[in-house]
Amino acid sequence: MSGKKLRVIPLGGLGEVGKNMMAYEYGNDIMLVDTGIMFPESDMLGVDYIIPDFQYVVEKKENVRGIVITHGHEDHTGAITHVLEQINAPVYSTRLTCGLLEVKLSKAGMLDQVQLNTVKAGDLVHIGPFKVEFFHVCHSIPDSVGLGITTPAGLIVHSGDYKFDHTPVDNWPTDYAKLAELAGRGVLALFADSTNSDKPGWTPSERVIDSAFDEVFRSAPGRIIIASFASLVSRMQQVGNAALRHGRKLAFVGTSMVENARMARKLGYLDLPDELILPIDQALRLDPKEIVIMSTGTQGEPTSIMGRLSTGTNRQFDIIPGDTVVLSSHPIPGNEESVYRTINRLFRRGANVIYEAIAPVHVSGHASQEEMKLLLHLVQPKYFVPIHGELRHLHQHANIARQVGIPAENIAVVENGQVIEFENGEMRLGERLPGGWVFVDGASVGDIGISVLREREAIARDGFVLVNLTLNRDSSSLVCDPEIITRGFIYNNNVDDLVEETRHVVSEALKSDHNGSLQNDLQQTVKSFLYGKTKRRPMVFVTVSRE
Amino acid sequence: MSGKKLRVIPLGGLGEVGKNMMAYEYGNDIMLVDTGIMFPESDMLGVDYIIPDFQYVVEKKENVRGIVITHGHEDHTGAITHVLEQINAPVYSTRLTCGLLEVKLSKAGMLDQVQLNTVKAGDLVHIGPFKVEFFHVCHSIPDSVGLGITTPAGLIVHSGDYKFDHTPVDNWPTDYAKLAELAGRGVLALFADSTNSDKPGWTPSERVIDSAFDEVFRSAPGRIIIASFASLVSRMQQVGNAALRHGRKLAFVGTSMVENARMARKLGYLDLPDELILPIDQALRLDPKEIVIMSTGTQGEPTSIMGRLSTGTNRQFDIIPGDTVVLSSHPIPGNEESVYRTINRLFRRGANVIYEAIAPVHVSGHASQEEMKLLLHLVQPKYFVPIHGELRHLHQHANIARQVGIPAENIAVVENGQVIEFENGEMRLGERLPGGWVFVDGASVGDIGISVLREREAIARDGFVLVNLTLNRDSSSLVCDPEIITRGFIYNNNVDDLVEETRHVVSEALKSDHNGSLQNDLQQTVKSFLYGKTKRRPMVFVTVSRE
C-alpha cells in the first residue's frame, strides 16, 4: 500500500484535523508528531476525554521510529501514556515539554520504560528516513517548536501551534530566519495551524497583558486571584513580574499549577526570586493587599478551585468582598455557559471579576490571518495543507492561502484519516483510513462508543420508568400492585396520580390478548400512555415475574 | 407590604435580570412589562423552554391593570399564553408586536378571550396609576419601543432592548428627542438593557450588512441560502433588497418564517414586490444563480431546516456543491458547539458557508458601551438600575454608569426577585421574593424541577444497570440466573464478561447475612463492584421477586 512515497496522515475522528496526532510514513518507517487528547463536547455525556484512534499505527508499530512532541499542551501531549502503552518508540521534545511529559509518565509509573530525548530549537535529529529540524515558534507555552522535515520525497514544514509575537514574554521570537532558510531549499508542502483563521489582523503580543495586569494591581482594593491554565508558564512569569512591580507576594494553588511552576523554575523557564513565592497558608495570613494567588480552573469546572470558590465550597479559603478575580484565559468552545456561570457566581459572592471581554488579560497563542499570510510568504510552499482546526477553519485558511497566491489546486482541505501522498514532487490524496474517536470514561479506554452516548442522551432527555409486575403463575393476573420506579421523569410529588393511572393502564392491558411477548406489549402500552399524558418519551422497562 | 410606594420587580429565577418579565406596582395596581421565555442551558436536559416564576403577580392578579410588550422577540413574548391563562389583563403593544402575539394566541386558541390593544410610538396610555409613553427604539426587530412611565413616585425610563442605529433598515432611528424631553422633566430612575455592556465602542448599523450581502450575491456561483431568526423582519427586508439589486427571486421556507413574512408584509413592515417572492417549489425549478432561499435554523438545532440540510435529511431540497450558505445570526450562548458543528457539516456537503466570524453578515441589536453612555447622558436619571443581562453584564453596565458620573450609591445591581422601592424621590432595596424558573417540558409546565434535572444528569453521566432476581420463596436461593439490563453504561459487546461477573457477585452476596434490606444490600454490592471494575457510578436498581 504505502510503497516508496511519503504519506502524511492526520489521525483521529472528526474534530480538529491533525491537532492531536499526525503520522509521517515513508516505506517501512513512521514518525509520529504529537500525542494529544480532545476534550469532550457537551453532548458526550460522562466522557472524561477523547484520544485519537491510532489503530493504523498500532498495526505497524514495529515501523514507528520516533514520536516528536511540538509543545507541552494537553491537546498535543495528553495521550502520551496511551500511545506508549502500545507503541515502543523514543520520544523527542524540548526541555520544558520533556519536563511536562515526565510528570505525566511518572504519575503513570511509566518513566523507566520510556526513552525521552531532549532536543532544542536548532537541532537536527534523524528519525528513520526523516531529518527533523526543530525551529522555535512563539506560542502560549515556552519552548514550542515547529518542524522542518526533510523526507526522501521532499521538504515538509510542520508549523505546530504558533504565532508571530515580536515581544514575547521570554523575548524569543519565532525563528523567521530558519523559515526563510527552509524556503530557500524549496518547501514541497506546508502543514500549518488554522485555529484563528477567522480572526482578522494580527494576534496581540503577550506583552499587552502586562499593562492590563498593572491596571488590575494598581486598583485592586484587596486580594488578587488570577486563574489560568497550569501549563501557561509565561503567564506565571507575567503574574510574578506584576507582583514584583507592585509589592505583592505570589502563592500558587492547585497541584498541577504548583508542580508545573516548580518544574519550570527548576528548568529555568520561570524566573522568579524565592522571596516572591509563599505557600498559600502563609500568604493567607498577610494583608489582602499584599498577596496575589494564582490557580487553575478557568473553564468553569465545578470541582476546580475557581468552581469551588464560586460556590463557597473551597477548602483553604473563600471569596471575600473586595477580592479581585482575574480569568486570564479564553473559554474552550463549549465551556462558555459554565465559565459565565462561574463568573456570575463570583460576582454574587462580592468579588470583582475581570475577564477577557472586560480587559486584555488574555491573548491567544495562535496566529491570526495576517500572520498566516506571513508564514505562507516566508515558507513559499508548493503545496499547502491547513491543519489544527475544524473544517470551517481549514476552509478559511485555504481562502487565505489562495489570497496570497497558492493555486487552489495545490491546497488540500482534508479531514482526519485522509492520507496525503507525495511522490515525484506532486501531492495527491490517498485512501481514507477508518477511525474515529476513542472515548475515555473512568477506568476504561474505548469501551464507550457513540451508541452508548446516544443511549445516555435518550435517558437524559426524559428519564426512565421501571414497572415491575408479579403475576400469578397460572392465571397471569396480578399478585400485587405493580411496583413503579421513575428517575429523571417527573417530580415525585406529581408522580402519584400518574403512577396510579399507569398501574390502572397496566392492569387493563393484562386483561386483553397479547400477540407478541407480554413484556413488549406492556412496554408499548406504558410508553404510549405516558406520551399521551406528558408528551415525553421516558425509557420504559417492564419486568415480569410469576409466582 | 406594598404601601404607597412604587415597587419595581424583575421576575424570574437566576438568569438575565428583568429580561423576560418585570412588574411595576403602586399600591393596589400592577403593570407587567414583557412576558418572555428563557432558553434552557445545556445541562438542563430535556427542558424545552423556561418561563419566569410569576407567582407573586398571580397572587395579586386582581391588581394587574395591563401588560405592556416592548417588542416581538421570544424572550419578551414567548410566555404570553402562560401569563394570560392565569391573569386576565389587557395587552398593549405596537402593531408588529401585536401581529406576532396574535399568531401565538391564535395557535393556542386564546385569541377571542384576550384584549389586545395596539399602540404606536408617541402614544400615551393610562394603565392604572401609570401614564406610559411609548417611544421608538432601534432593535433587531421593527416597531420596538422603550417606555417613559410616569408614576405617582416619579418618572421611570425603561429602555427595552435598544441600540442607537443612525441608519437602520427602516430609516427610523431611536427617538433621541423623546429621551431628551423625558430628561427635561426629571427622570427618577433608568432601567436599561445591559446585553452588550462588555462590548466596547458602538454597535455597527444594520446597514453594514447590505455591503456584506452585496459581496455574497456578487460572488456566489449558485444558490444562496440565508438563515436567520423568524422574527428578524428587517433582515428579510435586507435579503429582499439584495435579491432585487442582483436579480434573484426570493423564497421563504419554514412555517414560522413564511407566516411572519406574510404578516409583516400585510402590516407594511416588510416592503417587497409580489413578483420578487416565489414559493419554494417554484424557486427550486429556476437556475441556481436566480434564487435566494431564506430560512430559520441558525442555532444548530438538528430538526431545523439548516440542521437537516447539514445532515442531508431535508425534505424539499439538499445542499449541492456550489451553494452559498449565509448564517445571518449570532449563536445564542450555549449553542456555539452545535452551530459550529452544523457549519462544519455544511462545508463537508460542498457548501461555502459565510458566518459572522468570516464577514459582517450579522450585527447585534443591542447597544454597546458608547451607546450606553449616550443613553445615560440623554436621560440623566437620578438612579440607575442595569437590567437585561447576566450579573456580569449588570456589573459592567454599573461601571459604565459610574464612568459617566452616576454616583455609585445611586446604582443598584440586583437579581430577579429583588424588589426595588421608590418613595419620596429615594430608591432603596425592598425584600427579595422567592421564585425561580419554571421549566416547560413536553405537555407540562412546572412539574420538572432542579431535582429531576440532577437525576437526569446523574443517569446521563454513567447510565444505569437493572438487576432482576427471582428467589426461591423459602431458601432465598436463586431460581434462575439474575437478569441484567444496562443502558448508557458500556458497549453491549464488552458487557458480557462484566455481566457474568456481576451475576457471580450477586450470587455470592446472597449467601451472606443481610443487616438491612436484601434489596439495598445488593444494590450497594453491585455499585461497589461496578465502580471497582470501571471507575464509573451507574444508577443500580435491584428488584427481587420470589416464587
Side-chain angles (χ1 to χ4, degrees):
Chain A
M1 260 312 266
S2 55
K4 275 297 190 184
K5 51 198 164 197
L6 173 67
R7 289 157 56 86
V8 187
I9 315 163
L11 293 167
L14 304 173
E16 296 196 60
V17 173
K19 180 81 178 181
N20 309 125
M21 194 184 290
M22 281 182 70
Y24 286 83
E25 181 177 30
Y26 187 82
N28 291 323
D29 298 291
I30 292 175
M31 171 177 78
L32 291 178
V33 177
D34 292 329
T35 57
I37 56 168
M38 271 183 61
F39 300 100
E41 300 190 10
S42 52
D43 63 352
M44 297 176 185
L45 302 165
V47 173
D48 295 333
Y49 60 91
I50 302 162
I51 59 178
D53 181 344
F54 54 99
Q55 191 56 31
Y56 175 79
V57 196
V58 171
E59 283 163 15
K60 299 182 169 191
K61 60 183 173 185
E62 307 305 331
N63 296 355
V64 180
R65 308 290 163 234
I67 301 169
V68 173
I69 310 291
T70 58
H71 64 281
H73 281 154
E74 284 296 320
D75 50 349
H76 295 257
T77 64
I80 187 74
T81 57
H82 298 286
V83 172
L84 289 174
E85 269 165 14
Q86 303 212 52
I87 296 170
N88 181 20
V91 176
Y92 301 86
S93 66
T94 58
R95 267 177 75 223
L96 179 64
T97 309
C98 197
L100 290 159
L101 291 172
E102 276 173 12
V103 172
K104 274 182 203 302
L105 292 167
S106 97
K107 266 187 199 154
M110 293 173 68
L111 200 50
D112 296 345
Q113 319 145 32
V114 177
Q115 191 195 324
L116 281 182
N117 301 286
T118 302
V119 298
K120 60 181 190 301
D123 282 357
L124 187 158
V125 173
H126 289 261
I127 299 176
F130 307 112
K131 281 192 291 186
V132 182
E133 293 167 85
F134 296 82
F135 58 88
H136 182 71
V137 294
C138 294
H139 185 45
S140 41
I141 185 168
D143 227 6
S144 297
V145 290
L147 311 173
I149 309 169
T150 303
T151 79
L155 174 59
I156 308 289
V157 173
H158 181 112
S159 76
D161 287 1
Y162 79 99
K163 68 190 277 194
F164 287 114
D165 192 338
H166 295 306
T167 51
V169 174
D170 60 5
N171 295 313
W172 193 3
T174 296
D175 193 345
Y176 304 92
K178 184 70 189 179
L179 289 166
E181 191 251 312
L182 291 167
R185 286 190 250 157
V187 172
L188 179 61
L190 169 66
F191 289 77
D193 178 8
S194 311
T195 309
N196 280 350
S197 64
D198 58 8
K199 300 278 182 301
W202 195 286
T203 303
S205 168
E206 298 231 338
R207 203 52 64 100
V208 307
I209 294 171
D210 290 341
S211 350
F213 278 178
D214 276 339
E215 178 61 30
V216 170
F217 278 69
R218 246 195 310 274
S219 55
R223 301 186 303 192
I224 300 172
I225 302 166
I226 299 183
S228 193
F229 296 103
S231 61
L232 235 176
V233 176
S234 54
R235 202 59 45 85
M236 298 181 198
Q237 184 70 53
Q238 291 179 289
V239 171
N241 293 347
L244 284 170
R245 287 197 296 277
H246 297 268
R248 290 187 182 236
K249 298 291 183 191
L250 171 59
F252 294 108
V253 291
T255 317
S256 54
M257 187 155 266
V258 170
E259 273 181 16
N260 287 352
R262 183 183 302 129
M263 190 267 298
R265 289 183 73 203
K266 200 180 78 188
L267 297 180
Y269 291 94
L270 189 55
D271 180 21
L272 298 173
D274 287 340
E275 59 275 18
L276 176 71
I277 296 172
L278 288 183
I280 180 69
D281 52 332
Q282 286 182 36
L284 291 171
R285 288 197 291 269
L286 295 183
D287 183 280
K289 286 213 62 155
E290 291 175 356
I291 60 167
V292 51
I293 296 167
M294 200 170 176
S295 84
T296 52
T298 59
Q299 298 302 313
E301 317 93 318
T303 56
S304 70
I305 292 168
M306 293 316 294
R308 296 198 306 264
L309 284 174
S310 77
T311 51
T313 55
N314 193 42
R315 198 168 45 83
Q316 283 175 306
F317 61 99
D318 283 321
I319 290 291
I320 48 179
D323 280 351
T324 301
V325 175
V326 179
L327 295 187
S328 185
S329 60
H330 182 72
I332 294 174
N335 289 351
E336 292 87 352
E337 270 181 329
S338 50
V339 170
Y340 294 140
R341 197 182 301 171
T342 303
I343 293 175
N344 290 333
R345 286 177 175 155
L346 290 166
F347 269 120
R348 192 170 297 131
R349 297 194 163 266
N352 183 28
V353 190
I354 295 165
Y355 54 105
E356 202 184 9
I358 301 292
V361 289
H362 181 71
V363 294
S364 172
H366 298 273
S368 296
Q369 293 177 348
E370 296 308 309
E371 291 158 278
M372 293 176 171
K373 294 174 191 168
L374 177 58
L375 182 69
L376 285 155
H377 276 312
L378 280 170
V379 174
Q380 298 174 46
K382 179 174 179 190
Y383 293 102
F384 174 62
V385 183
I387 55 170
H388 297 191
E390 300 169 28
L391 206 41
R392 63 195 178 98
H393 298 124
L394 308 184
H395 276 283
Q396 185 60 13
H397 204 177
N399 280 341
I400 290 166
R402 281 195 295 273
Q403 281 170 31
V404 300
I406 310 270
E409 61 274 20
N410 285 11
I411 301 170
V413 172
V414 303
E415 297 198 67
N416 282 326
Q418 175 64 57
V419 178
I420 304 156
E421 298 182 337
F422 296 92
E423 195 175 24
N424 304 323
E426 305 286 326
M427 172 174 77
R428 63 176 208 84
L429 297 187
E431 80 274 22
R432 179 88 184 261
L433 301 178
W437 283 317
V438 178
F439 299 109
V440 181
D441 175 9
S444 74
V445 180
D447 71 347
I448 297 290
I450 287 290
S451 62
V452 174
L453 294 184
R454 288 298 88 86
E455 279 181 3
R456 289 182 180 174
E457 211 175 283
I459 322 169
R461 205 160 36 231
D462 288 328
F464 66 87
V465 174
L466 306 183
V467 181
N468 296 320
L469 303 179
T470 310
L471 302 184
N472 186 292
R473 179 173 297 279
D474 307 309
S475 67
S476 280
S477 62
L478 282 164
V479 172
C480 54
D481 264 356
E483 180 191 16
I484 294 183
I485 297 169
T486 81
R487 286 292 186 279
F489 177 45
I490 50 175
Y491 265 157
N492 280 331
N493 52 352
N494 290 86
V495 92
D496 284 354
D497 287 352
L498 199 60
V499 162
E500 211 39 67
E501 291 181 65
T502 307
R503 286 205 181 104
H504 181 72
V505 165
V506 169
S507 310
E508 289 301 307
L510 280 168
K511 291 177 190 160
S512 54
D513 287 340
H514 298 286
N515 303 321
S517 99
L518 177 64
Q519 212 168 353
N520 286 345
D521 282 4
L522 289 176
Q523 270 169 204
Q524 278 314 319
T525 305
V526 173
K527 273 185 192 169
S528 312
F529 169 72
L530 292 176
Y531 180 72
K533 295 296 272 190
T534 66
K535 294 283 174 283
R536 278 177 241 159
R537 301 185 191 280
M539 280 199 182
V540 173
F541 297 90
V542 174
T543 67
V544 179
S545 62
R546 291 167 189 276
E547 62 177 42
Chain B
M1 261 311 266
S2 54
K4 275 297 190 183
K5 50 198 165 196
L6 173 68
R7 289 156 56 86
V8 186
I9 314 164
L11 293 167
L14 303 175
E16 295 196 61
V17 173
K19 181 81 178 182
N20 310 124
M21 194 184 289
M22 279 182 70
Y24 287 82
E25 181 176 30
Y26 186 80
N28 292 323
D29 298 291
I30 292 176
M31 172 177 76
L32 291 178
V33 176
D34 292 329
T35 57
I37 56 168
M38 272 183 62
F39 301 99
E41 300 191 11
S42 52
D43 63 352
M44 296 175 186
L45 301 165
V47 173
D48 296 332
Y49 60 90
I50 301 162
I51 60 178
D53 181 344
F54 53 100
Q55 192 55 32
Y56 176 78
V57 196
V58 171
E59 283 164 15
K60 300 181 170 193
K61 61 182 172 186
E62 307 306 331
N63 296 355
V64 180
R65 306 290 164 235
I67 301 169
V68 173
I69 309 290
T70 58
H71 64 282
H73 281 154
E74 284 296 320
D75 50 350
H76 295 258
T77 64
I80 187 73
T81 56
H82 297 286
V83 172
L84 288 174
E85 269 165 12
Q86 304 211 51
I87 296 170
N88 181 22
V91 177
Y92 301 86
S93 66
T94 58
R95 267 178 75 222
L96 179 64
T97 309
C98 197
L100 290 160
L101 291 173
E102 275 173 12
V103 172
K104 273 182 205 302
L105 291 167
S106 98
K107 265 186 200 155
M110 293 173 69
L111 200 50
D112 296 344
Q113 318 145 32
V114 177
Q115 191 195 325
L116 283 180
N117 300 286
T118 302
V119 298
K120 60 180 191 302
D123 283 357
L124 186 157
V125 174
H126 289 262
I127 299 176
F130 306 112
K131 283 192 289 185
V132 182
E133 292 167 85
F134 296 83
F135 58 88
H136 182 71
V137 294
C138 295
H139 185 45
S140 40
I141 184 167
D143 227 7
S144 297
V145 289
L147 311 173
I149 309 169
T150 303
T151 78
L155 174 59
I156 308 288
V157 173
H158 181 113
S159 76
D161 287 2
Y162 79 99
K163 67 189 278 192
F164 287 115
D165 192 337
H166 295 305
T167 51
V169 174
D170 61 5
N171 294 312
W172 192 3
T174 296
D175 193 345
Y176 304 92
K178 184 70 188 179
L179 289 166
E181 191 251 311
L182 291 167
R185 287 190 250 156
V187 172
L188 179 61
L190 169 67
F191 290 77
D193 177 9
S194 311
T195 309
N196 280 350
S197 63
D198 58 6
K199 301 279 183 301
W202 195 286
T203 304
S205 169
E206 297 232 338
R207 202 53 63 101
V208 307
I209 295 171
D210 291 339
S211 350
F213 279 178
D214 275 340
E215 178 60 32
V216 170
F217 277 69
R218 245 195 312 273
S219 55
R223 299 186 303 193
I224 300 172
I225 303 167
I226 299 183
S228 194
F229 296 103
S231 61
L232 235 177
V233 176
S234 54
R235 202 59 44 85
M236 298 182 198
Q237 183 70 53
Q238 291 179 289
V239 171
N241 292 348
L244 285 170
R245 287 197 297 276
H246 296 268
R248 289 186 184 237
K249 298 289 184 192
L250 171 58
F252 294 107
V253 291
T255 318
S256 54
M257 187 155 265
V258 171
E259 273 181 18
N260 287 351
R262 184 183 303 130
M263 190 266 299
R265 289 183 72 203
K266 200 180 76 187
L267 297 181
Y269 289 95
L270 190 54
D271 178 21
L272 298 173
D274 288 340
E275 59 275 18
L276 176 71
I277 297 173
L278 287 184
I280 181 68
D281 51 332
Q282 287 182 35
L284 290 172
R285 288 197 290 269
L286 295 183
D287 184 281
K289 286 214 62 157
E290 292 175 356
I291 59 168
V292 51
I293 296 168
M294 200 168 177
S295 84
T296 52
T298 59
Q299 297 302 313
E301 316 92 319
T303 57
S304 69
I305 293 169
M306 293 314 295
R308 295 198 307 263
L309 284 174
S310 77
T311 52
T313 55
N314 193 41
R315 197 169 44 84
Q316 284 175 305
F317 61 100
D318 282 322
I319 290 292
I320 48 178
D323 280 350
T324 301
V325 175
V326 179
L327 295 187
S328 186
S329 59
H330 182 72
I332 294 174
N335 289 351
E336 292 86 353
E337 270 180 330
S338 49
V339 171
Y340 294 138
R341 198 183 299 171
T342 304
I343 293 175
N344 290 333
R345 285 178 176 155
L346 290 167
F347 269 120
R348 193 170 297 132
R349 296 193 163 266
N352 184 27
V353 190
I354 295 166
Y355 53 105
E356 202 186 8
I358 300 293
V361 289
H362 181 70
V363 294
S364 172
H366 298 272
S368 296
Q369 292 177 350
E370 296 309 309
E371 291 157 279
M372 293 175 172
K373 294 174 189 167
L374 177 58
L375 182 69
L376 284 156
H377 276 312
L378 279 171
V379 174
Q380 297 174 47
K382 179 174 179 190
Y383 293 102
F384 175 61
V385 182
I387 55 170
H388 297 189
E390 301 169 27
L391 206 41
R392 63 194 179 98
H393 299 123
L394 307 184
H395 277 283
Q396 185 61 12
H397 204 178
N399 279 342
I400 290 166
R402 280 195 296 274
Q403 282 170 30
V404 300
I406 310 270
E409 61 274 20
N410 285 12
I411 302 171
V413 172
V414 303
E415 297 198 66
N416 283 326
Q418 175 63 58
V419 178
I420 305 156
E421 297 182 338
F422 296 92
E423 195 175 22
N424 305 323
E426 304 286 326
M427 173 175 77
R428 63 177 208 83
L429 297 186
E431 80 275 23
R432 179 88 184 260
L433 300 178
W437 283 315
V438 177
F439 299 109
V440 181
D441 175 9
S444 74
V445 180
D447 72 346
I448 296 292
I450 288 287
S451 62
V452 174
L453 295 183
R454 288 298 88 88
E455 279 181 4
R456 289 181 180 175
E457 208 175 283
I459 321 169
R461 204 159 38 229
D462 288 328
F464 66 88
V465 175
L466 307 183
V467 181
N468 297 319
L469 302 178
T470 310
L471 301 184
N472 186 290
R473 180 173 297 279
D474 308 308
S475 68
S476 281
S477 62
L478 282 164
V479 171
C480 54
D481 264 356
E483 181 191 14
I484 295 183
I485 297 169
T486 80
R487 286 291 185 281
F489 177 46
I490 50 176
Y491 265 156
N492 281 329
N493 53 351
N494 289 87
V495 91
D496 284 353
D497 288 352
L498 199 58
V499 163
E500 212 38 69
E501 291 180 65
T502 308
R503 286 205 181 103
H504 181 73
V505 166
V506 170
S507 311
E508 289 302 306
L510 280 168
K511 293 177 190 161
S512 53
D513 287 341
H514 299 285
N515 303 319
S517 99
L518 176 64
Q519 213 168 353
N520 286 345
D521 281 4
L522 288 176
Q523 270 169 205
Q524 278 314 320
T525 304
V526 173
K527 273 184 191 169
S528 313
F529 169 72
L530 292 176
Y531 181 74
K533 296 296 272 190
T534 66
K535 293 283 173 284
R536 277 176 243 161
R537 302 185 190 280
M539 279 199 184
V540 174
F541 297 90
V542 174
T543 66
V544 179
S545 61
R546 290 167 191 277
E547 63 177 44

